[in-house]
Amino acid sequence: MKKNETIRKGFVFKKYETPFQSPFDKLFEVFKELITHTSGDFDEAIDWLRELDKEYKLTTSEYTIDDFIEDLKKKGYLREEIDSDGNGSLEITAKTERAIRQQALDHIFGKIKRSGQGNHKSKSPGLGDEHTGDFRAYQFGDALDKVSITESLRNAQISNGIGDFTLSEDDLVVEETLHKSQMSTVLMIDISHSMILYGEDRITPAKKVAMALAELITTRYPKDTLDILVFGNDAWQIEIKDLPYLKVGPYHTNTVAGLQLAMDLLRRKRNTNKQIFMITDGKPSCLRLPDGQYYKNSNGLDKHIVNKCYAMAQQARRLHIPITTFMIAKDSYLMQFVREFTYANQGKAFYTGLKGLGEMIFEDYETNRKKRIRG
């Protein structure tokens, strides 16, 4: 290099170029979103896709919507079903359901910085692989792979010197690790009719959050458990694979039934850490009486129904099950009910619209998993 030459450093700016996507991949991203909104109805999703294609020119003469459908079949995202009358229809497969959950996870949680790896951590030292940076003397029964070689050799050098180097049991030290805890979570989703009232689709965001949380737990925390239930006039458990097909029904809101089922599910879990997440937008308006009849009242807050909710919150508290309520509606009298419900449980409540719902649930899940709830 010549003496008068200088090295220049700096930034080079150029026009952003989107990563290459094949025609199939581009359409598949849109299709996964549409199939979620249509609750798994393939024909309706394709109708919407054709309309979007007319408006935004999503396809070309070389690759049409029909070509896309054929590729969905070839790649295992669609299967053909034949009914008893011999009529055929196309249905999405388990592979598509998994792709939808992964997309929900990426969209909702993808931009959030995640900490830690593997399973849940508690603040109690014990068996695990999350290092604390603290050391203690080796004890009989400690696994050899937990012995800190560097610190043990250092102790041996200090004790005996380099010339007469020996390593004894007294020199061995073990690095403390955090005990790995497990979390059992029940996610309650309100499917009462109010979840689609007033021109606002509230069930689709709730459904996406559920799919994202399910994908997060099954892939990142496989030792945790997640049970999902829905509640309207009654409450019932659904499988993760059922989430894309979830719909709102002509129901009132039986919050008590949902809490009863959630606690029944958690009683069967051996994990110490247990929690309930409840997504709802409406007031409790329904109870099932001992004789099987339904008591319903949608006018304001019915004292009888509300007191039953408070009693369930207190029962969960006695069982060391915190309830976190994600309240979509912001009516002042409903917020007051949630505040009193939360006080009875000593849980938490978030008063939110649909925006940011997934991020809040993710952050709360990550926070709760670091706590050791002692029974």
Side-chain angles (χ1 to χ4, degrees):
M1 181 186 299
K2 297 180 181 179
K3 291 183 179 181
N4 59 349
E5 287 183 351
T6 58
I7 300 175
R8 298 180 181 274
K9 295 183 179 180
F11 296 98
V12 176
F13 296 93
K14 61 181 181 179
K15 186 178 180 180
Y16 174 76
E17 296 179 2
T18 57
F20 173 76
Q21 278 188 309
S22 66
F24 173 83
D25 291 334
K26 291 178 182 178
L27 289 175
F28 193 48
E29 290 297 310
V30 180
F31 172 76
K32 286 185 288 186
E33 190 72 23
L34 294 176
I35 205 72
T36 301
H37 281 273
T38 61
S39 298
D41 188 325
F42 172 77
D43 291 333
E44 185 179 358
I46 287 297
D47 287 342
W48 283 18
L49 187 61
R50 291 187 190 279
E51 291 300 317
L52 290 173
D53 183 32
K54 291 177 183 178
E55 185 171 355
Y56 297 105
K57 308 299 180 184
L58 301 177
T59 65
T60 64
S61 58
E62 289 79 20
Y63 194 84
T64 65
I65 298 293
D66 291 331
D67 294 327
F68 172 67
I69 295 173
E70 286 303 312
D71 279 349
L72 287 174
K73 295 178 185 178
K74 293 176 184 177
K75 295 175 183 290
Y77 292 109
L78 285 181
R79 67 174 182 272
E80 191 164 4
E81 297 286 339
I82 307 296
D83 61 21
S84 56
D85 297 327
N87 299 317
S89 63
L90 292 173
E91 305 289 341
I92 64 175
T93 64
K95 184 177 180 181
T96 310
E97 295 163 1
R98 175 65 187 275
I100 295 170
R101 294 198 301 270
Q102 184 61 54
Q103 183 183 53
L105 178 65
D106 293 340
H107 284 182
I108 294 174
F109 302 148
K111 296 180 181 179
I112 299 176
K113 183 179 179 181
R114 302 176 184 177
S115 60
Q117 296 180 15
N119 298 312
H120 300 301
K121 299 179 291 184
S122 73
K123 296 179 181 179
S124 305
L127 297 177
D129 60 9
E130 300 288 348
H131 299 285
T132 66
D134 298 325
F135 298 94
R136 62 170 174 81
Y138 173 84
Q139 298 174 355
F140 178 77
D142 285 334
L144 292 178
D145 61 347
K146 300 301 181 185
V147 174
S148 173
I149 300 300
T150 303
E151 291 297 318
S152 298
L153 291 176
R154 177 176 175 272
N155 289 342
Q157 289 179 349
I158 293 173
S159 300
N160 305 298
I162 298 295
D164 187 22
F165 178 80
T166 57
L167 179 67
S168 67
E169 182 179 338
D170 293 335
D171 299 319
L172 298 178
V173 294
V174 174
E175 185 173 3
E176 289 277 25
T177 55
L178 288 173
H179 172 73
K180 280 187 174 181
S181 61
Q182 297 173 335
M183 176 70 78
S184 290
T185 301
V186 172
L187 178 62
M188 298 173 49
I189 304 175
D190 184 351
I191 59 167
S192 62
H193 187 57
S194 60
M195 291 289 279
I196 55 171
L197 284 180
Y198 316 116
E200 185 174 46
D201 177 9
R202 296 166 174 172
I203 189 62
T204 299
K207 185 164 56 175
K208 285 184 179 180
V209 167
M211 289 191 291
L213 189 61
E215 189 68 8
L216 173 78
I217 291 175
T218 54
T219 56
R220 187 177 176 191
Y221 304 114
K223 292 184 179 180
D224 284 11
T225 66
L226 174 66
D227 291 286
I228 302 171
L229 65 88
V230 294
F231 61 105
N233 292 347
D234 290 295
W236 60 95
Q237 189 176 4
I238 63 172
E239 301 295 330
I240 292 175
K241 64 181 179 62
D242 299 327
L243 282 170
Y245 313 101
L246 190 60
K247 295 181 180 180
V248 167
Y251 307 124
H252 285 68
T253 308
N254 192 343
T255 307
V256 170
L259 292 170
Q260 287 174 333
L261 178 55
M263 283 189 277
D264 286 343
L265 292 170
L266 289 174
R267 282 192 188 98
R268 305 170 196 167
K269 308 298 182 184
R270 295 184 178 181
N271 296 343
T272 303
N273 294 321
K274 300 175 182 180
Q275 64 181 352
I276 295 173
F277 285 167
M278 178 167 64
I279 304 175
T280 182
D281 77 325
K283 57 184 176 292
S285 59
C286 178
L287 281 178
R288 189 169 188 178
L289 303 176
D291 62 1
Q293 297 293 316
Y294 292 97
Y295 173 71
K296 302 175 183 177
N297 185 359
S298 298
N299 298 319
L301 285 171
D302 185 287
K303 188 174 181 180
H304 178 58
I305 296 175
V306 167
N307 286 339
K308 287 286 187 181
C309 291
Y310 295 154
M312 293 302 298
Q314 292 168 347
Q315 183 179 343
R317 179 184 176 185
R318 290 192 292 270
L319 294 172
H320 304 282
I321 301 174
I323 302 171
T324 303
T325 305
F326 296 90
M327 190 69 177
I328 297 172
K330 292 187 177 181
D331 306 72
S332 58
Y333 76 104
L334 293 179
M335 292 172 67
Q336 179 61 31
F337 158 70
V338 173
R339 276 192 288 269
E340 293 179 11
F341 176 86
T342 303
Y343 177 78
N345 176 256
Q346 292 298 294
K348 285 181 287 186
F350 295 91
Y351 307 94
T352 174
L354 298 175
K355 186 177 181 180
L357 177 64
E359 286 86 343
M360 280 187 290
I361 289 183
F362 172 80
E363 290 171 357
D364 199 60
Y365 182 82
E366 290 281 81
T367 300
N368 290 349
R369 72 184 181 82
K370 297 175 184 176
K371 298 177 181 178
R372 187 66 171 173
I373 305 168
R374 301 193 180 277

